[in-house]
Amino acid sequence: MKTTKKYLIITAIIIVVALIVIIGLSLRQSSQYKKAATDMMVNSAIIELSTNSIIQDFSSNWYNAIFSNKAIDENGEERYCSDFNDAIAWRIKSVDDTGFYDLLDSLSHQLSNDMNVMYHTPHKYNEIQKTFFFFFNNVNTLIEICKQPQGNLQDFNERTNKLHMETITLLKNASVLFPLDDSLYRSRAEVIFSPFVDKMNGNNTQ
C-alpha cells in the first residue's frame, strides 16, 4: 500500500509539473503571437500609407503624361512628356533615390519575421491568423506594384484601390482582437520617416 501511495503521489507531482510547463509554454506562445501580431499591424499600416502615397503619385504622373503631355521628372520638375512610360520611370527613379524602396523592403522583411513567429498559432487565434495571412500578401503585392507598375491606367487604379481598401478592412478586423495603440503607430512612424524628413530638409548627415 505504501508503495502504491508513493507511486500515486509521484505520478500526481509529475502531472502537476507537466501541466505547469504546458500552461507556461502556452502563455509564452500566446504572448509572442500577440507581440508579432501588433508589430505586423503597425508595419502593415505604415506600408499601406507609404505605398498609397507612391501609387497616387504614379497615377497622377501617368494621367498627366497621357492627357496633358507633361509630367514630373525624377528631380521634381515638371517637363514635357507624351510617353507615360517615361513619366512612370521618372517617378520610380525618384522613389528609389530617396531610399523608399529600401524602406519598404526592410518593412517587408520584418513582416516575414513576424509571420514566422505567428506560424505557431495558438488555437484561439486560428481564425484571425487567416486575416494576417491575407494582408501580409496584400501589402507585399502593393510593394511589388510600386516597384513595377503594369497594365493600363484604369486597371492600375482599380487594382491598387481594391488592394488598399482590402488591407484597411483587414487591419480593422485584426484590431478587434489586437487593439492598435495610436501612440505606438506614431512613434514607429516617426522613427521610420525621420531620416526622409531630414533628407528633404537638407539635414542629411551622410
Side-chain angles (χ1 to χ4, degrees):
M1 288 292 293
K2 288 184 178 180
T3 302
T4 302
K5 186 176 180 180
K6 182 178 180 181
Y7 173 77
L8 291 174
I9 291 173
I10 293 173
T11 302
I13 292 173
I14 292 173
I15 291 172
V16 169
V17 170
L19 286 173
I20 291 173
V21 171
I22 291 171
I23 292 171
L25 289 173
S26 178
L27 290 173
R28 181 170 177 269
Q29 189 179 59
S30 181
S31 176
Q32 290 176 334
Y33 185 93
K34 288 179 180 178
K35 182 181 183 304
T38 301
D39 286 345
M40 176 172 276
M41 291 170 66
V42 172
N43 288 330
S44 293
I46 291 173
I47 292 173
E48 193 283 324
L49 176 67
S50 301
T51 56
N52 188 44
S53 176
I54 293 170
I55 286 168
Q56 286 183 358
D57 177 62
F58 285 3
S59 179
S60 176
N61 231 35
W62 196 333
Y63 178 91
N64 287 332
I66 294 173
F67 297 102
S68 302
N69 290 333
K70 62 182 180 181
I72 306 299
D73 67 14
E74 66 270 29
N75 299 314
E77 301 292 333
E78 185 176 272
R79 292 170 52 185
Y80 172 81
C81 181
S82 60
D83 188 338
F84 72 88
N85 289 301
D86 289 339
I88 294 299
W90 289 342
R91 301 315 297 154
I92 288 176
K93 187 174 187 310
S94 175
V95 173
D96 192 24
D97 287 347
T98 59
F100 246 83
Y101 287 138
D102 290 337
L103 167 64
L104 292 175
D105 286 341
S106 175
L107 290 172
S108 177
H109 180 70
Q110 290 179 43
L111 291 187
S112 295
N113 289 339
D114 291 332
M115 281 299 287
N116 287 335
V117 172
M118 296 166 71
Y119 177 77
H120 302 288
T121 310
H123 180 71
K124 63 181 177 179
Y125 297 134
N126 279 342
E127 194 61 31
I128 196 65
Q129 177 67 5
K130 297 175 185 177
T131 296
F132 284 104
F133 178 76
F134 283 128
F135 74 64
F136 173 81
N137 285 339
N138 275 19
V139 294
N140 277 295
T141 299
L142 286 168
I143 290 173
E144 289 306 310
I145 290 174
C146 284
K147 292 179 179 179
Q148 294 181 318
Q150 297 176 349
N152 60 54
L153 180 58
Q154 181 178 345
D155 289 344
F156 175 81
N157 286 337
E158 289 178 355
R159 185 186 182 201
T160 53
N161 285 338
K162 183 173 182 290
L163 283 167
H164 281 298
M165 294 306 297
E166 283 181 354
T167 302
I168 291 171
T169 300
L170 290 167
L171 284 167
K172 287 180 179 178
N173 292 341
S175 68
V176 174
L177 271 181
F178 304 101
L180 190 60
D181 188 342
D182 287 344
S183 64
L184 177 61
Y185 171 77
R186 286 196 299 271
S187 62
R188 184 78 62 84
E190 285 174 4
V191 169
I192 289 173
F193 291 121
S194 60
F196 297 96
V197 174
D198 290 343
K199 190 172 183 178
M200 286 187 291
N201 290 335
N203 297 325
N204 189 27
T205 57
Q206 291 183 0

